[in-house]
Amino acid sequence: MQLYNTLSAEERAELIDQAGKQRLTLSFYAYAKIEDPKQFRDNLFIVWNKLDALGRIYVAKEGINAQMSVPAENMEAFRDTLETYDFMKGIRLNVAVEQDDHSFLKLTIKVREKIVADGLNDETFDVTQIGVHLNAKEFNQILDDPNTIVVDFRNHYESEIGHFKGAITPDVETFRESLPIINEQLQNHKEDKNLVMYCTGGIRCEKASAYFKHQGFKNVYQLEGGIINYAKQIKEENLESKFIGKNFVFDHRLGERITDDIVSQCHQCGKPCDNHTNCENEGCHLLFIQCDECKAAMGNCCSDECQEIIHMPLVEQVKLRRGVKNGNMIFRKGKSDKLLFKHSGELSDTPLATAKTLANREASGELSETKPIAIRQKIKVKKVLIGKAEHYYVKVGVGLFSIENQEVTIGDKILISGPTTGNQEIIVEKMFVNGSENILAKVGDKVTMSLPFRIRLSDKLYKIIS
C-alpha cells in the first residue's frame, strides 16, 4: 500500500487550484504514550491521504506534533480520525489567523525520538506536572503584573519579526538551547516572580513548564494554545494585543500578521520589513528577512556569491554542493556575517513602521513598484508531461527516459520530478535517441542523456513551456 507522496509540490499546487475549494491551515499536539509509533504513523497516513490532508507531522513514543492543511469540507471527517484515539478526543485545533491554500503541499509524517527536540531526560522529572494554562485575557492581565517575567521560547528568527512586549527573547537557534539559558538567568527569582512563557502553538511550553517546575520555580504559567490561539481569541473577544508584529509559522507562508506593527528590518538594506525568504542558492538556503527591492535586485539571494552561483550551469552548482552535509551546515536560520541588519537577543518593542503605511507608500509610488512574488506564483511552473524515467546507469551517470506525449529537442528546458529526486531543471544540450545521437525525440522514442544527479523509476519528465 502506498504510504508516501507521489506528487511533487508543483503538481499538488496545480490540483488544489483546479479544485478551487477552501483549505484550512491548522496545528495541534498531544503528549501521550504511543507503543508503536511506526504503525501509528502508517495508520494516520492512510486515513489522512484519503481526505487530501497535507502537512508536516512528527510522531514519537511521547505523542504527536502536527502542522497541517485540510480541505474545509473534510474538517469533520478529519476530526473523526482524531477522535478514534483516546488521547486526542476533544483536542484543540489551532486554526491559522491567515489562510493560504498552499500552506502545505505534501503529507509528510515522520517518526522521531521526540515530537520536539528539547534535549531533556524525561525520566528525571514528571512531564505531567505542567504550569497553569492562561487564555488570552488572563495572559494580558498577568503581563501587567510587575512581578511577572515573560519568556519567548521560540528561536531568534521567530521572535525577531514579532513578540510580546517586554519579553525575554533568547538568542538561540533551537528550543533546547533556551532551557539552560533561562534557568541560569532566572536563578534568583524562583519564588518571587511569575515565570510566564509562550511559543507558537503551545507545545514547547508544555514541556518547558514541567521542566522549570522541576527546577524549583513556584509560579509557572503558559499561554494556552500559544500565539496562534491568542491571536484568535483577541480577535473574537476584541481584546488588546500585547503581541506586536508577525507570528512566524513553519509552512510556505513563513508568517501570519497579528498586528500592523513592523518591528524588524530587511537584513540587506535595513528598511522596515518582516518578510522571510530562503536564499535561492540550494547550497545555501539561508533563511533571512528580505524586502521587495532587495529581492528583485538580488534574485532572492542572500549575497553576491550566491547570486553568482544560481546563474551557473546546474552541473557546476551540484559540484559546489558535493560533500556538504545537509542540516545546519546549509540550512542556517538567519545567522550570517553578510546580513548587516540582522538583530536578535534583546529586541525593541518600538515599531519601525506599520504594514499599512508601507502599503500606502508602495501604492503611491514612493517605494519601488516591484511586487513580491506570491507563493502560488513561485510554485507554479507551466509545463507539460512528456515522459517518464526508465532507468539510471549509475557508473556513467546517464538517465533513460521513454517519450510518451510530446516531442523534445535540443535546447528545450526540461523538469525531472519525483518524491526523492525533487525538482531538477536542466536544458537538453545533448541526447541519444534510440541509441544514436539526435536533436529530436518523438513519441515512442527512448532517450538517454547525461545527468548530474540520480533519477528514480517514479520520476516524471516534463517540458517547461514558459
Side-chain angles (χ1 to χ4, degrees):
M1 184 175 290
Q2 173 200 322
L3 296 176
Y4 56 88
N5 291 279
T6 58
L7 296 177
S8 67
E10 289 83 359
E11 291 170 318
R12 179 69 71 177
E14 214 166 273
L15 289 177
I16 289 173
D17 286 341
Q18 289 172 3
K21 296 180 179 179
Q22 182 189 10
R23 300 181 69 90
L24 298 176
T25 301
L26 55 92
S27 63
F28 63 92
Y29 69 89
Y31 281 99
K33 289 185 178 179
I34 300 175
E35 296 298 329
D36 189 345
K38 173 64 168 61
Q39 185 61 52
F40 178 63
R41 176 263 176 211
D42 292 349
N43 292 341
L44 291 179
F45 193 99
I46 291 169
V47 295
W48 287 349
N49 193 42
K50 290 178 181 177
L51 296 176
D52 193 26
L54 307 172
R56 186 185 301 113
I57 302 95
Y58 299 130
V59 299
K61 288 187 175 182
E62 68 172 4
I64 181 171
N65 180 18
Q67 293 86 40
M68 303 187 68
S69 168
V70 180
E73 63 183 13
N74 292 343
M75 272 302 294
E76 288 307 312
F78 178 75
R79 278 188 178 275
D80 290 342
T81 68
L82 304 180
E83 294 287 330
T84 60
Y85 299 93
D86 287 340
F87 70 90
M88 287 196 285
K89 286 185 181 295
I91 193 170
R92 181 188 63 249
L93 301 181
N94 288 329
V95 179
V97 177
E98 298 176 353
Q99 294 297 334
D100 189 297
D101 292 342
H102 291 183
S103 58
F104 291 99
L105 295 171
K106 289 189 177 184
L107 177 58
T108 304
I109 310 178
K110 294 184 178 181
V111 177
R112 293 281 181 87
E113 283 297 314
K114 290 193 172 188
I115 54 177
V116 174
D118 51 38
L120 298 175
N121 180 2
D122 294 351
E123 296 179 0
T124 62
F125 65 100
D126 187 349
V127 295
T128 66
Q129 294 298 308
I130 60 176
V132 177
H133 281 203
L134 301 174
N135 61 30
K137 185 176 182 180
E138 294 166 335
F139 195 80
N140 278 359
Q141 289 172 346
I142 203 168
L143 291 188
D144 290 333
D145 187 333
N147 288 319
T148 290
I149 296 175
V150 59
V151 181
D152 190 327
F153 275 97
R154 300 173 303 153
N155 305 324
H156 66 84
Y157 56 91
E158 299 173 79
S159 58
E160 185 178 9
I161 61 170
H163 49 269
F164 278 97
K165 297 175 183 178
I168 296 174
T169 52
D171 187 9
V172 297
E173 291 190 26
T174 62
F175 172 52
R176 69 173 68 194
E177 293 176 64
S178 61
L179 296 172
I181 291 174
I182 296 302
N183 189 34
E184 177 65 27
Q185 192 171 338
L186 303 181
Q187 274 296 307
N188 298 325
H189 300 291
K190 290 186 175 182
E191 297 191 15
D192 65 332
K193 297 289 185 182
N194 300 319
L195 174 56
V196 179
M197 56 188 70
Y198 70 90
C199 56
T200 307
I203 187 170
R204 284 176 267 194
C205 295
E206 199 80 8
K207 183 68 72 69
S209 65
Y211 169 76
F212 282 106
K213 288 187 72 172
H214 173 70
Q215 292 295 319
F217 287 84
K218 302 300 182 186
N219 307 306
V220 181
Y221 303 86
Q222 62 191 92
L223 178 58
E224 182 179 16
I227 301 164
I228 296 174
N229 197 42
Y230 178 87
K232 181 172 178 284
Q233 288 181 352
I234 61 171
K235 186 176 181 180
E236 292 175 346
E237 300 174 30
N238 196 27
L239 301 173
E240 174 195 0
S241 176
K242 291 185 179 293
F243 184 95
I244 52 174
K246 262 186 178 180
N247 179 30
F248 185 94
V249 292
F250 295 88
D251 56 53
H252 287 299
R253 297 172 299 157
L254 293 178
E256 56 180 18
R257 186 160 297 288
I258 308 300
T259 71
D260 282 331
D261 303 296
I262 296 178
V263 296
S264 53
Q265 298 171 275
C266 171
H267 287 165
Q268 292 175 318
C269 72
K271 189 186 93 171
C273 178
D274 52 13
N275 295 325
H276 275 102
T277 189
N278 283 110
C279 181
E280 196 72 15
N281 175 16
E282 289 294 332
C284 173
H285 211 63
L286 181 78
L287 179 72
F288 67 107
I289 298 173
Q290 188 178 49
C291 69
D292 295 344
E293 286 81 1
C294 289
K295 186 186 289 286
M298 299 295 294
N300 280 47
C301 291
C302 70
S303 64
D304 293 333
E305 293 86 344
C306 285
Q307 196 173 21
E308 290 176 7
I309 290 172
I310 66 169
H311 291 104
M312 292 180 179
L314 180 61
V315 176
E316 296 301 316
Q317 293 186 46
V318 172
K319 283 182 181 178
L320 289 175
R321 297 200 296 267
R322 194 165 293 157
V324 180
K325 295 181 179 179
N326 287 336
N328 284 340
M329 293 299 292
I330 292 180
F331 302 104
R332 300 292 289 181
K333 301 296 192 295
K335 288 293 185 72
S336 170
D337 293 338
K338 300 181 180 70
L339 303 178
L340 302 180
F341 295 91
K342 163 68 184 173
H343 298 290
S344 55
E346 292 186 13
L347 300 174
S348 173
D349 293 340
T350 304
L352 302 174
T354 67
K356 288 181 180 178
T357 301
L358 285 185
N360 291 338
R361 290 172 67 191
E362 287 178 350
S364 67
E366 184 179 343
L367 299 178
S368 168
E369 294 182 359
T370 305
K371 300 297 180 185
I373 300 172
I375 292 169
R376 50 178 52 88
Q377 287 179 315
K378 186 177 178 182
I379 290 171
K380 284 183 180 178
V381 175
K382 289 188 178 180
K383 61 188 186 298
V384 60
L385 180 67
I386 58 174
K388 64 182 180 180
E390 295 269 323
H391 191 68
Y392 182 73
Y393 301 94
V394 179
K395 290 186 178 180
V396 291
V398 169
L400 170 65
F401 301 89
S402 60
I403 306 302
E404 301 177 340
N405 185 40
Q406 198 177 96
E407 295 178 351
V408 60
T409 62
I410 297 297
D412 282 344
K413 191 173 185 180
I414 61 173
L415 170 71
I416 302 168
S417 178
T420 304
T421 306
N423 298 304
Q424 303 287 353
E425 294 182 11
I426 61 171
I427 295 175
V428 181
E429 297 177 346
K430 182 178 181 180
M431 64 179 174
F432 288 82
V433 181
N434 301 325
S436 301
E437 187 173 350
N438 207 325
I439 62 171
L440 174 68
K442 300 179 180 178
V443 175
D445 288 341
K446 301 289 185 182
V447 172
T448 55
M449 63 183 79
S450 296
L451 298 171
F453 49 85
R454 182 167 186 160
I455 61 172
R456 282 83 179 170
L457 286 177
S458 58
D459 291 353
K460 294 180 174 66
L461 180 66
Y462 298 88
K463 182 192 292 187
I464 296 177
I465 55 177
S466 68

